[in-house]
Amino acid sequence: MAGDFPPSVIRIWMDKLKKGVGLPATVLERSLLNLMSAESASLSVKNATEQGILVARAGGGRSKRLTLAFCQKVTRLPYSPNDPFCFECHLPGVVKKCISCVRSFHEKCQRQDPEKPNYSVPSDKGQPYQFPVNESDDEPLNNTQNLEIPQTPRPLLDHNSNIDQTLLATTDFLKHENFEWDDDVFFVCEQKGARQRKLPRIKDELQSSLDSDEGSDLERCTHCRLLALAALHNPPQLDKQELGCLLKYSWDQHHSWISMDVAKYMAKNWNERDKALVKRVLFKTKILGLRDIEQNIAAEKYTYLTEFLMDLLDLQHNMAMFFGRKSVEYNATKWLMRDVTHDIREIRRCPDCFRYSNEASLSDLWFAKPCLQRHELVFAKQVGSPPWPAKVMSVSKRQPIKYDVRFFGGTHSRALISERDITPIESDIQSYIKPRNSRALSAAIRELQCHMMLSHYSASLFGFHADPTVAENLIKVALSHCTESTETSASGKRGRPPTPATPGVARRRRLNNTTSNTASPVPIRGIPDSVAYDSLTAEVQQANNDLLKCRIELSATQKKLAEVKRKQWCYHCLDEAVFNCCFTASYCSVECQRRDKRRHQASCQVTH
Ligand SMILES: [Zn+2]
Ligand SMILES: [Zn+2]
Ligand SMILES: [Zn+2]
Ligand SMILES: [Zn+2]
Ligand SMILES: [Zn+2]
């Protein structure tokens, strides 16, 4: 059984002893000096030799010195059915075996809450980025000169955690992943109804079985404890397909924390035999790599959110054993876990919100879509801004009560707001539509109106399995109803500007109003204006003259036209002529000829 040396020495030795190469014990001891004292290093080599991991071999060549090689027979390597390394701290020692699986743990390492790690990972929200410093890593170091400086992976933008940073800066709230904020939040529901996600029945059974069986928490590993709670902590009505979609969004965003995993390292550096030897010594479960997790997500393997978390814990344990607890690779898993755990919490709060915000690029009004889980709608007041419409994501149970809200409009930012700054939104929000509202607030209220309108439809129309075109059409209809109110508020704004940019602008606007309302404007503003007035008056006079000339021309042309017509049409009524009297007159009818007789007699060229 492997013990008395940290598991990561196996990887270090194998790198030196690839393909059965033998090296003097002193070389193997020296390779460990980054991790431990010279004394511990020589003890580690001695222990590994006693356990049969390293085997003595007569050196070739002239030196004839004794060398150590990695044991080449898998079956001769020490083997124990249970993991000799603690699932929490990844070190050997007196470990307790889990009653349900092959994992082990130190009793003192056991987590209080299986979802909360014992190490602390500071949140990078609202504070400069720092690589985590882990207190539990404080082992004695004899040689630090070769320590790698950890590279800091670039944190990715998290659409779901854009908690207002200015708020954080002032209140110091949530600076660290803190335990004050109770994750086990309750939802405030606008209305209870058939559309609500139903809580699973399994909850009661599980809860009672847990209550009666509290002692088993000390007998089981974190992995098994999580499994027992998986169904209880899963959002109701979240099927494998939808879960696969949500996990993909989370994984795509966060997997880049880790660039190297155990499987990748082995494939890159070792041959199959060396891989098999190391696997036999170190790993009890399947060596889970990044690609395995990606494939599990793509294949919709996960039934529960927690199963995903459990796989990541295995990945983390494997990497800690393989690369060492101080390695960049292992530290990166802490950041991955932090971000994924955050997403898991978000998905538990509202799977629809998580999906909508990850699909924000597909719809302009994604925030107006209703969720199966109805969110209470409130006006939340922040320092320096008017009460702003928001959805309540969760409410803390503890005093002082804080509302975790997400605002309508703009970037849909999140904030924690004290209970006293929260006003529930009445069904009629017309009173909130004021001409004084800023453009941003008007847009936010319009989005709120759309949301309230869309909430009358079944949320399943917007669900994961729904036809997106139906949802888009509903949104379009809602939007067409909601735009009118902002139009009126916008026109009201023109009449009375809320905050004039400069006093001059406002005065000019007032002057424009008076000129348009007065019938005969009087020039009142000095010489330049009276000059302009005179020239304008002259222009008007000129235009009138031109108009008169045109009218004269027009009547002359009309007269000429009538003359021409009279030659071809009835001289009397200008209808189409049917017969000619003589070549100076034609008529449409005898009647017209008779009426025109008195005028025409004088000029008629035909003798009657
Ligand atoms: Zn431990
Ligand atoms: Zn277990
Ligand atoms: Zn939601
Ligand atoms: Zn006629
Ligand atoms: Zn005639």
Side-chain angles (χ1 to χ4, degrees):
M1 189 175 124
D4 304 315
F5 49 81
S8 58
V9 305
I10 299 293
R11 176 186 58 88
I12 295 168
W13 285 338
M14 182 51 95
D15 273 341
K16 302 219 173 283
L17 304 174
K18 275 188 270 191
K19 297 174 187 168
V21 167
L23 284 174
T26 48
V27 176
L28 297 181
E29 284 170 22
R30 232 179 293 140
S31 68
L32 305 184
L33 292 181
N34 280 345
L35 296 175
M36 57 186 77
S37 65
E39 203 181 326
S40 307
S42 88
L43 191 66
S44 295
V45 172
K46 188 167 160 276
N47 284 333
T49 314
E50 273 170 16
Q51 289 169 22
I53 296 169
L54 300 175
V55 288
R57 186 192 288 169
R62 276 162 282 159
S63 66
K64 296 283 176 196
R65 270 171 65 194
L66 203 68
T67 62
L68 290 173
F70 211 97
C71 171
Q72 292 296 298
K73 273 224 150 53
V74 171
T75 48
R76 276 204 210 138
L77 282 165
Y79 177 80
S80 73
N82 281 82
D83 193 344
F85 304 104
C86 171
F87 193 63
E88 303 301 328
C89 72
H90 320 291
L91 290 174
V94 184
V95 289
K96 189 165 180 155
K97 295 178 181 75
C98 171
I99 53 166
S100 321
C101 73
V102 297
R103 294 172 187 83
S104 313
F105 53 93
H106 296 116
E107 250 169 273
K108 67 172 174 60
C109 290
Q110 185 70 320
R111 296 180 179 195
Q112 283 209 318
D113 178 342
E115 299 217 351
K116 281 175 182 153
N118 293 325
Y119 58 80
S120 69
V121 179
S123 162
D124 61 351
K125 292 176 204 108
Q127 60 178 196
Y129 187 80
Q130 272 184 317
F131 206 78
V133 180
N134 192 351
E135 304 91 303
S136 59
D137 279 351
D138 285 341
E139 288 168 321
L141 276 177
N142 284 4
N143 185 349
T144 54
Q145 60 186 11
N146 285 334
L147 263 188
E148 280 183 79
I149 296 157
Q151 293 162 311
T152 51
R154 188 178 290 272
L156 290 157
L157 182 72
D158 182 353
H159 296 296
N160 288 297
S161 64
N162 46 357
I163 287 181
D164 189 354
Q165 305 211 342
T166 53
L167 186 83
L168 287 169
T170 52
T171 60
D172 237 23
F173 203 80
L174 265 191
K175 199 171 235 177
H176 291 263
E177 297 286 314
N178 72 40
F179 297 96
E180 292 304 307
W181 182 256
D182 197 339
D183 290 324
D184 195 16
V185 290
F186 59 89
F187 295 104
V188 180
C189 302
E190 196 180 5
Q191 57 192 107
K192 281 203 162 147
R195 291 187 296 235
Q196 203 88 17
R197 280 184 194 267
K198 288 194 186 71
L199 286 173
R201 295 243 172 93
I202 198 166
K203 184 171 182 168
D204 298 332
E205 296 163 25
L206 256 173
Q207 195 60 57
S208 57
S209 79
L210 286 171
D211 290 344
S212 63
D213 198 18
E214 218 150 77
S216 69
D217 272 0
L218 299 172
E219 308 295 323
R220 288 179 301 176
C221 69
T222 300
H223 200 274
C224 293
R225 288 168 71 198
L226 282 172
L227 185 62
L229 294 167
L232 176 66
H233 284 169
N234 219 50
Q237 291 174 31
L238 184 64
D239 62 22
K240 279 185 166 190
Q241 264 178 295
E242 187 174 354
L243 179 60
C245 166
L246 301 183
L247 290 179
K248 189 181 180 327
Y249 287 139
S250 178
W251 185 250
D252 284 351
Q253 215 175 1
H254 303 309
H255 75 87
S256 59
W257 279 118
I258 303 180
S259 51
M260 179 60 77
D261 63 18
V262 176
K264 229 172 169 178
Y265 186 94
M266 284 182 162
K268 191 179 158 195
N269 296 294
W270 301 340
N271 64 22
E272 288 306 316
R273 171 186 281 270
D274 291 345
K275 274 191 225 173
L277 296 172
V278 170
K279 186 181 183 309
R280 167 85 168 186
V281 177
L282 286 185
F283 302 113
K284 296 300 154 202
T285 52
K286 180 179 181 286
I287 303 172
L288 212 60
L290 294 175
R291 198 180 296 167
D292 299 307
I293 290 175
E294 199 175 303
Q295 281 169 358
N296 287 347
I297 293 172
E300 290 159 5
K301 193 206 98 171
Y302 298 110
T303 309
Y304 301 119
L305 268 173
T306 312
E307 287 179 314
F308 177 57
L309 190 63
M310 284 154 56
D311 267 2
L312 291 184
L313 283 174
D314 275 340
L315 177 86
Q316 193 173 34
H317 180 52
N318 289 344
M319 285 179 65
M321 289 195 298
F322 190 76
F323 293 106
R325 287 162 16 104
K326 291 180 195 305
S327 63
V328 177
E329 289 85 355
Y330 170 58
N331 261 326
T333 66
K334 293 182 182 174
W335 288 91
L336 175 78
M337 288 301 278
R338 185 208 60 179
D339 286 350
V340 168
T341 312
H342 171 83
D343 280 358
I344 286 177
R345 255 180 264 152
E346 286 294 305
I347 294 172
R348 281 184 188 151
R349 270 175 201 162
C350 182
D352 295 313
C353 278
F354 185 82
R355 187 168 54 83
Y356 293 156
S357 52
N358 276 286
E359 293 169 355
S361 60
L362 300 182
S363 172
D364 290 338
L365 269 185
W366 62 272
F367 198 68
K369 292 180 189 175
C371 305
L372 270 179
Q373 163 68 59
R374 292 301 159 119
H375 300 282
E376 189 189 9
L377 300 174
V378 296
F379 275 99
K381 175 94 179 74
Q382 282 195 106
V383 181
S385 71
W388 206 274
K391 284 182 197 173
V392 175
M393 305 309 295
S394 61
V395 182
S396 70
K397 271 181 197 165
R398 295 176 198 182
Q399 293 290 342
I401 290 176
K402 295 253 183 188
Y403 280 62
D404 175 6
V405 300
R406 191 159 192 189
F407 291 107
F408 282 90
T411 55
H412 304 102
S413 57
R414 287 276 280 274
L416 289 168
I417 307 286
S418 296
E419 195 182 16
R420 63 188 153 83
D421 293 323
I422 294 284
T423 318
I425 289 182
E426 311 297 328
S427 55
D428 176 34
I429 58 160
Q430 288 301 320
S431 59
Y432 292 99
I433 301 167
K434 294 169 189 156
R436 286 181 67 93
N437 287 348
S438 68
R439 185 174 294 192
L441 182 54
S442 298
I445 289 177
R446 188 181 64 174
E447 199 175 59
L448 166 70
Q449 281 180 300
C450 280
H451 173 69
M452 291 169 89
M453 200 167 276
L454 292 173
S455 296
H456 292 299
Y457 296 102
S458 163
S460 59
L461 289 172
F462 302 88
F464 174 72
H465 298 285
D467 179 359
T469 53
V470 172
E472 280 308 306
N473 284 336
L474 289 174
I475 289 171
K476 260 182 215 153
V477 171
L479 194 60
S480 69
H481 283 281
C482 297
T483 35
E484 286 159 24
S485 56
T486 42
E487 287 300 313
T488 52
S489 79
S491 64
K493 207 162 98 182
R494 269 198 294 278
R496 189 184 165 195
T499 47
T502 59
V505 172
R507 195 178 63 222
R508 222 169 297 144
R509 273 194 197 152
R510 273 199 298 278
L511 285 170
N512 285 348
N513 283 349
T514 49
T515 48
S516 63
N517 292 342
T518 316
S520 54
V522 184
I524 49 167
R525 273 186 298 162
I527 298 156
D529 285 291
S530 70
V531 168
Y533 176 73
D534 288 346
S535 78
L536 275 173
T537 316
E539 264 180 52
V540 170
Q541 194 62 50
Q542 184 61 42
N544 272 334
N545 290 346
D546 290 349
L547 182 63
L548 197 61
K549 274 185 211 159
C550 287
R551 276 189 181 150
I552 292 164
E553 265 176 41
L554 178 65
S555 67
T557 311
Q558 278 173 335
K559 262 180 201 161
K560 272 184 205 162
L561 181 66
E563 287 299 328
V564 171
K565 274 186 164 184
R566 282 192 180 96
K567 284 173 186 167
Q568 296 167 19
W569 283 274
C570 172
Y571 197 93
H572 183 69
C573 74
L574 297 181
D575 256 359
E576 196 179 347
V578 175
F579 61 91
N580 297 327
C581 170
C582 59
F583 83 93
T584 59
S586 308
Y587 297 101
C588 68
S589 57
V590 181
E591 175 63 18
C592 277
Q593 188 182 29
R594 192 186 58 77
R595 285 185 180 174
D596 193 46
K597 194 175 180 180
R598 191 173 289 172
R599 184 200 64 83
H600 181 56
Q601 256 177 346
S603 59
C604 186
Q605 320 235 327
V606 183
T607 48
H608 295 281

